[in-house]
Amino acid sequence: MIYPMNEARDYLLERATEYHIDVKWAHLSPITPPGSSFEYRSVVMNLDWHRPSEIIFQLAHEISHVIHGDKGDVYYYHACFTGKESVEYKANVGAVKLLIPLYCQDTDIQCVNSANFMQAFHVPHYLSSVVSEEIKKYYVK
């Protein structure tokens, strides 16, 4: 299932509101990544990002930084995500956890596919085992 960008965006904005996170949208250079600030409980997203299909996952990632209290005002999207102890990896895992309920809601477990989830939200391939685990957790709860 592929979600329209507006539906996914609105879903994530609702999660941000629940956590008292302010999301700002700005027209920036197409290569300027989004950023977040735990101190200011805010996220800045780039409306002109050169790969618009990545914006939903980026938004979830930046919200995750603030939820988890990551210190430091800006975390760049191009940073290394693969070290499982890195702040960026953990923000990506948090992004997956934020998006799983949207993807799985009102869907029978037999119809859920982790590859489709990853494609729909442009999740990096190295997170495939995380996606599979989080989908299983969603249906076990």
Side-chain angles (χ1 to χ4, degrees):
M1 179 180 296
I2 295 179
Y3 282 90
M5 186 171 169
N6 289 346
E7 182 181 340
R9 181 202 61 219
D10 292 349
Y11 169 83
L12 289 172
L13 292 175
E14 287 175 18
R15 302 295 77 74
T17 299
E18 289 172 10
Y19 286 96
H20 308 287
I21 299 169
D22 187 31
V23 178
K24 300 282 188 208
W25 297 87
H27 290 283
L28 304 168
S29 163
I31 59 170
T32 301
S36 59
S37 170
F38 172 70
E39 180 182 358
Y40 296 105
R41 300 204 62 78
S42 64
V43 167
V44 176
M45 295 299 300
N46 184 355
L47 286 166
D48 299 322
W49 183 247
H50 65 283
R51 290 187 299 257
S53 59
E54 297 175 349
I55 290 176
I56 295 303
F57 191 75
Q58 288 177 336
L59 177 57
H61 173 98
E62 297 302 332
I63 291 170
S64 179
H65 274 306
V66 180
I67 290 171
H68 295 115
D70 295 336
K71 302 295 181 202
D73 285 342
V74 177
Y75 291 98
Y76 290 104
Y77 191 73
H78 289 295
C80 175
F81 296 113
T82 55
K84 290 188 177 185
E85 294 306 312
S86 78
V87 171
E88 295 302 319
Y89 179 84
K90 290 176 181 176
N92 276 347
V93 171
V96 168
K97 290 179 178 182
L98 281 171
L99 289 166
I100 289 288
L102 171 65
Y103 181 78
C104 293
Q105 68 185 358
D106 305 322
T107 305
D108 192 76
I109 191 169
Q110 288 83 7
C111 299
V112 173
N113 180 303
S114 61
N116 288 347
F117 172 87
M118 293 180 71
Q119 182 180 14
F121 298 112
H122 296 269
V123 178
H125 293 292
Y126 71 84
L127 292 168
S128 61
S129 63
V130 171
V131 170
S132 295
E133 266 313 298
E134 292 303 320
I135 288 173
K136 286 177 195 169
K137 286 180 188 176
Y138 178 85
Y139 287 101
V140 170
K141 64 175 180 159

